[in-house]
Amino acid sequence: MKKEGEGEDREGALAAAGFAVVLVLVGLPVWWYTTTVYRATLPYATIEQLSHQLRHHTVGLDVVGQVRASFKDDLETKLESMQSVKFLLTHRLPTREEQTLLKSTHQSLSDLDLNLSNKIHVANGNLAVVVMEEGNNNNIMDNSSVIVGRQRIIFVTPNADLGVLASVVRGMVMDVLASKRAHVARPLHQLPGQHKQEAMRQVPTEPGYDVTLTLMVPEPHRTKVNWDAKAAVDEYLGPVVRQLESVAVVSVRSQVLYMTGLSVTPEWSPHHQHYALPHHQLPLTINAIEAKLGSFVWTRPSLHFVVYVPRENQMPLVIHSPDGTPLTTNSFLVPRWGGVMIHNVPPVDNTNTTTTAAMSPRYLTLDSHWVMSTVITHLHHLLPIPTLKETPEVKLLAPTSPYQLTEWQVDALARARVSAYLANIRTTLQSLCELVGEISNMVISDEVGGWVWGAVEEWGECGHAAREGRLQEATLYCTRSFTQADAAFFHPSMLALLYFPDNQKYAIYVPLFLPVSIPVLLSLKMVFSLFKKGLKSKVKED
């Protein structure tokens, strides 16, 4: 009986030992393999290096004409104050063909600007300063020392004030806010004072935008509106959209909303003889119609431009400024959203009309010129598109179409967007690295890793292209880098709420392993006790 008991104990010990061996050699590796978090390698060092790289744009400035010996050096000194842009100045004399054009007296300044642009071939992102010789085309300069052309040429007189010329060049190269952003290397909303107010008005820098033109008619039974939106877009907005294709993709659509009005309470102004929409009620107009405009159907940022035809009992409706004066534009800009325009129906003389005629619907043909001009003006402020102010010394050559942009405006917008992209890419990738570092068990898939590596590579190329003055390539690289960095950061697997913090893992693993580990430990204790007992029996037999 004793031998049988010892045999059973030995079998139990062997079974316990086998269970422990299987648990240790098979169970633990399988558990470790199945719970290991896959993390693709990320270029942390490269991201840190690029975050501290010198960021500036290089702009080539070619001075063409006979100038004094110190002209180039003095102008270069005046331009050194712009730290976000480095100017590469060159000087040469005009060629024979260019000299012939400059001496010609049978052409306007517009023709000279066009013909010289075809001869000089100023590269994208660069500028040329053409010095008009004394005695040649003095009447063309129209008593101005600096004239800005439509392309990328600036016409100046030999004795022009270099301080004024430097100010014009800086304004043509980059918007003031964009220059500030490129220099301080931080988002615009972190800037102080007026810069912050201007920054909060601009739309976020994105590869594309969806522009929606909305006609709101709250009383369609009383007002019949006629508006060919497609023709208006093709004539006014189409040229601007095509010019912006190299900078951002802009898609335009239109819609008409009936039985929808603004939730405002205008006040009758006896002094002005119209209904006044006070300035403090303007924010209320957006809240009421936001859900009906269809912003949620777009994945890209949306810009809304609303044309509102007031109700009959609120007409004429005029927007008032904070000081109580009527706005001549009868429209207002909504920061980062779009704009609202109020289009009243022209008054009708009711003295000689019958009751039936008075009750009949009113017919209104929208003024497309006014509507689209206002839309383009709002668009200039939202993007923003840089502009220059005319002074007695500085004149601007009007574009061939009042709704088109000049080439230097497109270049300046592209340069500003590159600076914004660089700041956004830096912030996004640094935030991604911090998130991955804080959550050690966050999965980094090969897809996310590929996006991050691609964003970093394009980021570096964008910086090189900007510093070398290759504006088109810098825009392309930055757009790609921003898209990939954004896709990696907002990937569903990178959501922090999907992962447990490290201090909560114990609450998960203790209830799982404790019931399993206690029997194993007790079995191992029995194995060791039997092993010691066997050793003692062998010692006694010896």
Side-chain angles (χ1 to χ4, degrees), residues 153-379:
I153 296 180
I154 309 171
F155 299 93
V156 299
T157 58
N159 56 351
D161 187 349
L162 293 185
V164 175
L165 176 59
S167 177
V168 170
V169 171
R170 288 194 295 267
M172 294 175 64
V173 165
M174 188 181 291
D175 180 72
V176 177
L177 287 179
S179 177
K180 184 75 174 177
R181 179 177 194 168
H183 176 56
V184 301
R186 61 181 178 180
L188 278 175
H189 66 271
Q190 297 179 5
L191 298 176
Q194 182 181 1
H195 291 300
K196 180 178 180 180
Q197 296 178 0
E198 293 291 330
M200 298 306 294
R201 183 180 64 185
Q202 302 173 7
V203 295
T205 303
E206 295 283 346
Y209 303 95
D210 295 306
V211 176
T212 303
L213 303 177
T214 303
L215 173 61
M216 294 182 58
V217 185
E219 297 178 342
H221 59 288
R222 293 293 302 148
T223 306
K224 304 296 182 180
V225 182
N226 179 29
W227 186 39
D228 190 348
K230 184 178 184 306
V233 170
D234 292 341
E235 181 179 358
Y236 297 94
L237 200 56
V240 178
V241 171
R242 286 190 291 271
Q243 285 184 302
L244 294 176
E245 286 180 351
S246 60
V247 178
V249 178
V250 180
S251 61
V252 184
R253 72 184 184 110
S254 62
Q255 61 180 352
V256 180
L257 296 181
Y258 295 111
M259 308 300 294
T260 302
L262 303 180
S263 298
V264 294
T265 306
E267 303 170 357
W268 176 255
S269 174
H271 176 70
H272 299 97
Q273 290 297 305
H274 62 228
Y275 285 94
L277 182 58
H279 183 268
H280 66 271
Q281 290 193 24
L282 298 183
L284 304 177
T285 61
I286 306 302
N287 299 333
I289 63 176
E290 177 69 28
K292 301 178 182 180
L293 295 178
S295 304
F296 52 85
V297 302
W298 301 103
T299 57
R300 297 183 297 188
S302 298
L303 294 177
H304 295 280
F305 298 99
V306 178
V307 182
Y308 177 65
V309 180
R311 295 181 175 89
E312 187 175 8
N313 60 355
Q314 295 179 351
M315 214 176 287
L317 181 62
V318 179
I319 302 173
H320 279 211
S321 61
D323 59 1
T325 59
L327 293 180
T328 57
T329 60
N330 209 18
S331 64
F332 64 94
L333 179 71
V334 183
R336 296 196 170 196
W337 188 87
V340 176
M341 295 151 278
I342 297 180
H343 198 301
N344 292 295
V345 179
V348 179
D349 187 8
N350 294 324
T351 56
N352 297 324
T353 57
T354 62
T355 304
T356 304
M359 295 299 295
S360 61
R362 300 165 301 169
Y363 292 88
L364 170 66
T365 299
L366 288 190
D367 185 357
S368 295
H369 176 76
W370 173 75
V371 171
M372 301 309 297
S373 299
T374 307
V375 169
I376 293 175
T377 301
H378 288 173
L379 198 62

Side-chain angles (χ1 to χ4, degrees), residues 392-509:
E393 295 180 315
V394 179
K395 299 294 182 181
L396 304 180
L397 195 60
T400 54
S401 171
Y403 313 106
Q404 287 185 337
L405 305 176
T406 59
E407 292 186 359
W408 62 265
Q409 283 181 311
V410 178
D411 290 343
L413 178 61
R415 201 173 287 112
R417 290 175 63 84
V418 167
S419 299
Y421 274 139
L422 288 173
N424 292 338
I425 294 167
R426 171 177 173 269
T427 303
T428 301
L429 292 180
Q430 283 187 337
S431 300
L432 179 64
C433 292
E434 293 176 1
L435 181 65
V436 171
E438 292 174 356
I439 304 177
S440 58
N441 61 329
M442 175 174 284
V443 177
I444 306 177
S445 63
D446 290 332
E447 184 181 24
V448 173
W451 282 336
V452 173
W453 279 96
V456 171
E457 182 180 358
E458 302 281 0
W459 183 13
E461 293 293 338
C462 176
H464 289 305
R467 288 190 294 272
E468 295 174 3
R470 295 179 283 121
L471 183 58
Q472 277 189 324
E473 296 180 27
T475 303
L476 181 61
Y477 287 135
C478 276
T479 304
R480 292 176 180 174
S481 179
F482 174 81
T483 302
Q484 294 182 84
D486 207 50
F489 186 80
F490 291 102
H491 191 271
S493 65
M494 305 301 291
L495 184 62
L497 297 178
L498 295 177
Y499 304 96
F500 289 101
D502 291 337
N503 57 358
Q504 294 187 11
K505 292 181 182 179
Y506 299 104
I508 300 173
Y509 289 127

Side-chain angles (χ1 to χ4, degrees), residues 9 13 521-537:
D9 291 341
L521 294 176
L522 294 177
S523 300
L524 291 176
K525 179 181 179 182
M526 184 179 64
V527 171
F528 283 118
S529 63
L530 290 176
F531 180 72
K532 290 180 180 180
K533 187 176 181 180
L535 290 177
K536 290 180 180 180
S537 62

